[in-house]
Amino acid sequence: MRKGFREMLDEANAEIEAVSPDEAAALLDDDDTIFVDLRDPREIEREGNIPGAKHCTRGMLEFWIDPDSPYHKPFFASGKSFVFFCAGGWRSALATKTAQDMGLEPVKHILGGFTAWKQAGLPIEPAKKK
């Protein structure tokens, strides 16, 4: 039987930690926490970003996390905590579950994503134009 995205989200949400935008914002100045933006570059260009967030498109996440991958990014092996976010919290929920399954911890995601972050009036840095 085919599994739809809603079932996959329900399964992920049952196993991962989610934080509100305000709870996430309290971690912004924590040197032991890395925010990871999973949105497409066009979304970031349009909307801006959470200050200091690293960018990793959802399609590269597994390759960047795995130290055996030729695409591995050392910040994922830093031993720090990770807060994932996307536009609305769906991609980040699935990414958090994937990262957790790969052994990356601690990891959590922002409920409602960047949209909820903006609606809460939390800090945003404009996108850097290329």
Side-chain angles (χ1 to χ4, degrees):
M1 175 163 186
R2 182 170 103 65
K3 187 185 298 187
F5 82 94
R6 292 194 191 282
E7 185 178 354
M8 291 176 68
L9 281 171
D10 288 344
E11 290 174 1
N13 284 318
E15 295 184 33
I16 62 173
E17 182 180 355
V19 293
S20 72
D22 288 329
E23 290 169 321
L27 299 170
L28 262 184
D29 294 326
D30 180 359
D31 290 337
D32 290 324
T33 301
I34 297 174
F35 282 69
V36 180
D37 189 340
L38 299 162
R39 295 176 297 155
D40 180 275
R42 290 176 300 270
E43 292 174 281
I44 296 169
E45 190 174 302
R46 259 192 328 267
E47 303 288 329
N49 202 358
I50 293 175
K54 303 272 189 192
H55 179 244
C56 174
T57 60
R58 177 62 190 94
M60 290 303 295
L61 182 68
E62 292 85 348
F63 304 101
W64 283 24
I65 290 173
D66 187 344
D68 292 331
S69 165
Y71 301 104
H72 174 70
K73 298 295 182 190
F75 73 86
F76 279 117
S78 65
K80 297 186 178 193
S81 298
F82 295 88
V83 178
F84 290 149
F85 66 96
C86 61
W90 290 359
R91 287 173 286 180
S92 59
L94 295 176
T96 300
K97 170 75 166 77
T98 296
Q100 193 169 281
D101 288 349
M102 292 180 75
L104 190 70
E105 47 183 43
V107 63
K108 58 189 93 180
H109 85 111
I110 300 174
L111 283 171
F114 189 72
T115 301
W117 180 275
K118 278 187 356 185
Q119 290 171 344
L122 295 166
I124 295 172
E125 63 184 11
K128 295 170 182 67
K129 300 292 181 190
K130 293 182 181 180

